[in-house]
Amino acid sequence: MSATLSENKAPLAVALSVRRLVEFLLRTGSIDSRFSGFDRANEGARIHRRLQRAAAKVHEDYKAEVALRQEYTCDGITYTLEGRADGIFTRDGVPVVEEIKSTTLPLEEITENHAPEHWAQGQVYAAIYALQNDLPRITVLLTYFQVDEELTVPYEHTYTAEELDQIVQNLLHRYAPWARLAADWQEKSREGMRQLAFPFPTYRPGQRAMISEVYTTCRDGGQLLCQAPTGIGKTMSVLFPALKALGNGVKGPVFYLTARGTTRAAAEDALNRFRTQDSSLPLRSVTLTAKDKICLCETRECTPEACPYANGYYDRIKDALWDALDDTTGALNAAVLQEYARKHRVCPFEMGLDLSLWSDVIIGDYNYLFDPVVRLQRFFESKGDYLFLVDEAHNLPDRAREMHSASLEKASFYQAKKNLGKGKSSLKTALSRVNDHFIEWRHRCEEAAAREDARFGQTLFMPDLDESFDRLLTRLCEQLEIWLDEHRDPSEQHSELLQLYFDARAWLRVAETFDDHFVLQISAYGSQVRASLLCLDPSNFLASDFSLGRAAVLFSATLAPAAYYKDLCGLENARAVALRSPFPQQNMALLCAQSVSTRYRDREKSIPAIADYLATMVRAQTGNYLAFFPSYAYLDKVYDNFCERYPDLAVCRQESAMEEDQRAAFLERFAPSPSRSLLGFAVLGGVFGEGVDLAGDRLIGVAVIGPGLPQVGARQEQLRDHFEQTRGCGFDYAYRYPGMNKVLQAAGRLIRTPTDRGVVLLFDDRFVASEYLRLMPPHWSHLRTVYNEQALQATLEAFWQMPATESSEL
């Protein structure tokens, strides 16, 4: 590999973290999941704090997490190196810079020089500290902590300041071709983005306003909540101004974060449209795809023995990166990553992560920012000039709750002990003690259910951690680590115990963050017990995540009320805007069958009436229709009644746990220009309730049965209690707002283009109550009620006879 770029450019300025520099240049060997462990970043941080506290007791002047920053010039490039030394103290008059590394490598493999990048990190910190404090010599202490044995393995060397400076200069000289490669790309890409033109001849109504709001937020910093109706072109309306901000001085990169994989294609398509408009545009994007989906092996096992793409990964990755970065198309999606991975025999998932450091736009799941385990530590160890674009942001509060919650079941521990067979062992003892604790919990649940004031059956909620259980779980993890290290061959038992270890570690991680935003739930079901650490309010976590970037834009068709989303997303000072629909209001008939009650107590008697209304809607105009129900049970009952009484009408229904090909087959039935009507039965809030684009006459009617309130249960009531105590609006936060969001998302499957026409039929009188009307968007102001099927038929006949309106400036 050799640099192909001009050496005569003006001096370059490169900001670089010390860790990134040394790991990129010096890391060798293989990917090995056995030694990377679970939640290694958080576990490492805990170990660091533990060792730092111990060192501070020995050395009075011990300073932990010392921020260091220094400029160096090498080969015509001005580097700004920065990072944090784990510890700095003085011993026998000589300053010492300590670098701490935790590892699960066996003790005999923790040699002095097994990881040159570890030494180099300490050496660069020491060089900066010596330079800034005019020190003639300084010691670098490399402290390894072996996690399984809980032993420290220290190594140290003393260097002169000149020796350390030479080490830094050598590293920077080796990095120079990469620095020039990155700088050359950035110069070209930022100029291209500065000149970037909107890729359509005109703006849709409301689109220019959205673009302006997003650009201002990206340029000036801050947060924006943008409710933008279907059809306004949300993806383009956030990516275009974000790229323009990069072209006008914002460093970036842009993170386009999605709730599901299917919506990533919209971002890829928008970026490709820019590339099509200007084939010379330097715009590099990488799409991060889940490891299981992009893996090139039949069975994913990230060890050098099992995977040829993991074996020797770090020895080959620089050549692979150089090759990929020379790709002028710039679109590094899953297929492209797999192509380069095969060519260079490297892991496509890890290669995607490495390429993200060289990209203008990073497309991926929410996890990569918000999940404390999965997040991109290579970016988010500290604050940056990042732009966060959060698609379908109405999903974020619930997703964040999941990321910061954890659950365990008694059966997992009992079965693991049983599968270990006869005989005694420390692991079996640890499993037994955890299982016994679950039995104690079960007895407490039974006692709680017997009390007169019992609200939740055999379910307990506790405001505090059960510290005795966490101690048992910690000891079990120690034994699991030993067993997993001694039994490395893949087997069903190994997979079972590895998953149990991951689950236990997840619990302990969440336990460390447990406070009054959480609750401990214990539920018994016969002999089984399930324990959960539930995050009720994720706002503090999300506020911390958003603070890592320059700007955040959260956008969705449904972000009402804005105060609710600002609150739960931790964006107290965010600006909120709601844009009107770009489509003619009169192209959608919005009706409410308020005589039909869908309340739980009334559902049985409502079944025939709902079937009659649906048949009337379907017969009024030939086409495709979807009816959304609050549960599978309700759906099945209406479906059976409808099929029995209206056998001439074609139907299909959503099944629980449908595979991807089954979902695709379901949607394929909604073909354009149908010769006969089709009514699909689906679940509100399910896979067909949002993110589905059935434009034109592929869908001309949507029925929503009920206001979508979550089912009353122990967890939902706990949410209600928490937000009643903390906000004074528990029912709204736990039921009404989430329910109406599902309704609006389902109705949003209709009217996808300016020429679409269709009907939305709502069932339940609550839709015309003021508490629900105020949650409806402005373009729903024409809601009308119908009191029987005859009125519905007459209204729809009149609607379908009206000519379509082609444009609107609403």
Side-chain angles (χ1 to χ4, degrees):
M1 179 187 70
S2 62
T4 58
L5 304 172
S6 172
E7 303 288 336
N8 299 317
K9 287 182 175 290
L12 303 177
V14 176
L16 199 59
S17 80
V18 173
R19 181 171 179 175
R20 177 184 172 186
L21 171 69
V22 300
E23 288 189 350
F24 179 77
L25 291 176
L26 302 177
R27 195 171 187 180
T28 59
S30 305
I31 297 169
D32 195 337
S33 61
R34 295 170 302 193
F35 298 131
S36 61
F38 169 82
D39 193 13
R40 179 58 64 198
N42 287 288
E43 184 178 1
R46 290 191 291 271
I47 291 170
H48 276 52
R49 291 192 295 270
R50 173 179 165 184
L51 296 183
Q52 288 163 341
R53 286 193 297 268
K57 294 178 181 178
V58 177
H59 307 284
E60 291 183 359
D61 65 341
Y62 190 95
K63 293 178 290 186
E65 302 299 323
V66 180
L68 296 169
R69 191 171 188 270
Q70 181 63 43
E71 282 192 0
Y72 285 89
T73 299
C74 179
D75 295 342
I77 304 172
T78 299
Y79 293 92
T80 301
L81 299 182
E82 56 187 340
R84 288 181 177 273
D86 292 328
I88 297 180
F89 62 96
T90 304
R91 186 181 59 196
D92 299 329
V94 179
V96 179
V97 171
E98 182 178 30
E99 182 64 26
I100 301 170
K101 298 295 180 184
S102 59
T103 180
T104 56
L105 276 173
L107 278 171
E108 62 272 15
E109 296 183 30
I110 307 175
T111 61
E112 183 173 0
N113 296 310
H114 84 276
E117 69 271 19
H118 295 167
W119 274 116
Q121 192 170 351
Q123 289 164 346
V124 176
Y125 291 146
I128 295 173
Y129 192 74
L131 178 64
Q132 293 178 347
N133 293 276
D134 197 22
L135 302 172
R137 63 181 57 248
I138 190 169
T139 297
V140 176
L141 171 63
L142 179 56
T143 302
Y144 287 105
F145 182 85
Q146 211 290 337
V147 175
D148 301 331
E149 303 289 340
E150 292 201 347
L151 293 174
T152 57
V153 182
Y155 297 104
E156 66 177 72
H157 284 290
T158 300
Y159 303 89
T160 66
E162 291 77 12
E163 289 172 330
L164 291 170
D165 185 70
Q166 188 59 48
I167 289 171
V168 174
Q169 292 292 332
N170 287 340
L171 289 170
L172 297 179
H173 176 71
R174 291 175 62 180
Y175 192 77
W178 296 93
R180 292 193 180 95
L181 180 71
D184 185 73
W185 177 272
Q186 187 168 66
E187 180 183 349
K188 292 177 181 177
S189 69
R190 296 312 186 254
E191 176 60 22
M193 292 175 195
R194 192 175 69 83
Q195 302 292 338
L196 194 67
F198 190 66
F200 296 99
T202 60
Y203 293 94
R204 293 179 181 178
Q207 193 170 34
R208 188 187 293 272
M210 182 173 179
I211 289 171
S212 176
E213 291 282 356
V214 174
Y215 178 76
T216 300
T217 302
C218 293
R219 182 195 64 193
D220 299 341
Q223 294 93 30
L224 172 71
L225 267 73
C226 187
Q227 177 171 285
T230 298
I232 207 169
K234 291 188 285 293
T235 303
M236 185 60 72
S237 299
V238 296
L239 277 172
F240 175 61
L243 294 178
K244 292 294 286 184
L246 295 188
N248 286 284
V250 176
K251 292 181 180 179
V254 173
F255 290 85
Y256 190 98
L257 303 165
T258 68
R260 54 173 58 84
T262 53
T263 55
R264 273 163 240 165
E268 291 178 335
D269 291 344
L271 295 175
N272 286 335
R273 185 172 287 275
F274 289 121
R275 297 183 181 106
T276 301
Q277 174 184 252
D278 180 359
S279 60
S280 64
L281 175 67
L283 172 58
R284 184 180 295 129
S285 63
V286 61
T287 303
L288 302 179
T289 305
K291 191 179 293 187
D292 285 331
K293 291 187 176 181
I294 201 172
C295 182
L296 296 173
C297 297
E298 187 174 335
T299 302
R300 180 173 69 82
E301 185 182 343
C302 304
T303 64
E305 293 85 0
C307 177
Y309 304 100
N311 188 23
Y313 174 86
Y314 297 109
D315 301 326
R316 297 185 296 274
I317 185 56
K318 284 192 281 295
D319 286 338
L321 291 177
W322 192 271
D323 193 10
L325 293 174
D326 197 40
D327 188 327
T328 56
T329 64
L332 300 169
N333 56 29
V336 173
L337 291 175
Q338 287 177 323
E339 180 182 344
Y340 280 111
R342 288 190 182 94
K343 178 180 177 182
H344 293 277
R345 207 156 49 89
V346 294
C347 169
F349 176 76
E350 291 292 336
M351 184 182 182
L353 296 180
D354 287 335
L355 282 167
S356 67
L357 291 167
W358 306 83
S359 297
D360 306 304
V361 181
I362 299 158
I363 304 169
D365 189 85
Y366 287 172
N367 291 343
Y368 292 111
L369 172 61
F370 303 113
D371 192 309
V373 177
V374 181
R375 74 170 45 164
L376 297 172
Q377 294 294 340
R378 61 194 71 202
F379 286 102
F380 302 134
E381 287 183 325
S382 59
K383 180 179 172 62
D385 208 35
Y386 312 127
L387 304 180
F388 302 134
L389 308 179
V390 184
D391 191 9
E392 296 181 318
H394 61 276
N395 289 300
L396 185 56
D398 280 344
R399 281 288 303 276
R401 283 193 185 105
E402 293 172 11
M403 294 172 192
H404 291 280
S405 298
S407 296
L408 294 170
E409 293 188 352
K410 174 185 178 297
S412 301
F413 299 90
Y414 176 79
Q415 192 62 43
K417 176 191 172 187
K418 186 178 178 181
N419 291 346
L420 286 171
K422 297 181 179 179
K424 296 181 178 180
S425 71
S426 298
L427 176 56
K428 288 182 70 174
T429 299
L431 287 165
S432 292
R433 288 174 177 167
V434 173
N435 186 70
D436 290 344
H437 201 94
F438 272 101
I439 293 173
E440 292 178 19
W441 274 340
R442 186 177 70 210
H443 294 326
R444 292 180 61 184
C445 288
E446 292 167 349
E447 292 169 3
R451 291 198 293 266
E452 290 184 4
D453 61 344
R455 293 177 61 195
F456 306 122
Q458 292 193 11
T459 295
L460 281 175
F461 286 100
M462 293 178 276
D464 300 309
L465 289 170
D466 188 328
E467 295 182 359
S468 60
F469 177 76
D470 293 348
R471 286 193 293 270
L472 292 175
L473 211 57
T474 300
R475 288 195 284 272
L476 172 61
C477 285
E478 295 167 357
Q479 296 303 318
L480 282 169
E481 287 170 354
I482 294 171
W483 190 95
L484 291 167
D485 188 51
E486 293 175 348
H487 301 77
R488 300 190 179 188
D489 294 334
S491 65
E492 186 175 338
Q493 187 177 46
H494 184 279
S495 298
E496 176 191 66
L497 290 175
L498 182 62
Q499 186 60 53
L500 187 63
Y501 172 71
F502 286 171
D503 292 343
R505 291 295 306 159
W507 177 283
L508 293 172
R509 176 188 60 78
V510 173
E512 285 206 345
T513 65
F514 192 100
D515 58 15
D516 57 4
H517 295 89
F518 287 78
V519 69
L520 170 60
Q521 177 184 352
I522 313 295
S523 298
Y525 311 92
S527 62
Q528 294 306 318
V529 186
R530 180 181 177 87
S532 300
L533 297 175
L534 299 180
C535 176
L536 303 173
D537 179 359
S539 57
N540 285 349
F541 295 114
L542 293 176
S544 177
D545 296 335
F546 283 123
S547 72
L548 295 170
R550 174 192 187 91
V553 177
L554 287 73
F555 58 102
S556 170
T558 54
L559 284 178
Y564 165 74
Y565 286 100
K566 288 171 64 173
D567 183 8
L568 286 190
C569 293
L571 301 176
E572 181 181 349
N573 298 317
R575 175 169 165 75
V577 296
L579 303 174
R580 296 179 68 87
S581 172
F583 301 146
Q585 188 183 57
Q586 54 268 43
N587 279 1
M588 181 178 77
L590 181 62
L591 307 171
C592 176
Q594 73 172 85
S595 61
V596 179
S597 171
T598 64
R599 294 170 178 81
Y600 192 78
R601 65 176 181 271
D602 299 325
R603 286 187 179 177
E604 202 67 38
K605 67 180 182 181
S606 72
I607 293 171
I610 292 173
D612 290 339
Y613 271 104
L614 292 177
T616 302
M617 177 180 70
V618 170
R619 283 177 168 163
Q621 179 78 3
T622 299
N624 299 320
Y625 298 81
L626 273 171
F628 291 95
F629 293 79
S631 70
Y632 279 105
Y634 202 6
L635 180 156
D636 288 342
K637 290 180 179 180
V638 176
Y639 177 87
D640 291 341
N641 184 282
F642 188 94
C643 292
E644 180 182 348
R645 298 172 56 221
Y646 299 101
D648 58 312
L649 296 177
V651 295
C652 60
R653 68 174 164 183
Q654 176 183 351
E655 306 288 349
S656 60
M658 294 175 78
E659 298 291 338
E660 192 169 336
D661 58 339
Q662 294 174 311
R663 296 197 295 269
F666 181 91
L667 292 175
E668 283 174 6
R669 295 196 61 179
F670 292 79
S673 304
S675 58
R676 62 180 300 205
S677 289
L678 171 69
L679 175 61
F681 288 70
V683 174
L684 198 59
V687 293
F688 302 120
E690 60 179 276
V692 171
D693 191 5
L694 298 173
D697 60 358
R698 292 189 66 193
L699 186 69
I700 65 167
V702 168
V704 181
I705 290 78
L709 305 185
Q711 185 175 355
V712 176
R715 288 194 180 195
Q716 216 61 30
E717 285 296 283
Q718 194 66 25
L719 279 174
R720 177 177 179 167
D721 290 348
H722 174 80
F723 288 113
E724 189 62 38
Q725 294 169 16
T726 59
R727 312 294 201 279
C729 49
F731 183 79
D732 285 342
Y733 271 51
Y735 292 99
R736 184 176 287 123
Y737 296 162
M740 276 300 291
N741 190 287
K742 295 177 190 176
V743 171
L744 295 173
Q745 280 291 325
R749 300 316 93 211
L750 193 72
I751 312 296
R752 311 292 295 181
T753 74
T755 58
D756 287 0
R757 299 188 73 210
V759 56
V760 171
L761 177 59
L762 309 175
F763 287 84
D764 204 286
D765 64 290
R766 283 170 286 185
F767 282 116
V768 295
S770 60
E771 298 86 355
Y772 291 86
L773 287 172
R774 66 185 177 87
L775 300 178
M776 295 180 182
H779 61 280
W780 278 31
S781 61
H782 62 311
L783 176 67
R784 292 179 55 187
T785 58
V786 289
Y787 294 94
N788 52 48
E789 299 95 272
Q790 292 74 28
L792 175 63
Q793 181 178 349
T795 302
L796 290 180
E797 285 178 358
F799 170 76
W800 289 118
Q801 288 173 5
M802 289 172 53
T805 302
E806 295 186 1
S807 64
S808 172
E809 294 298 325
L810 285 175

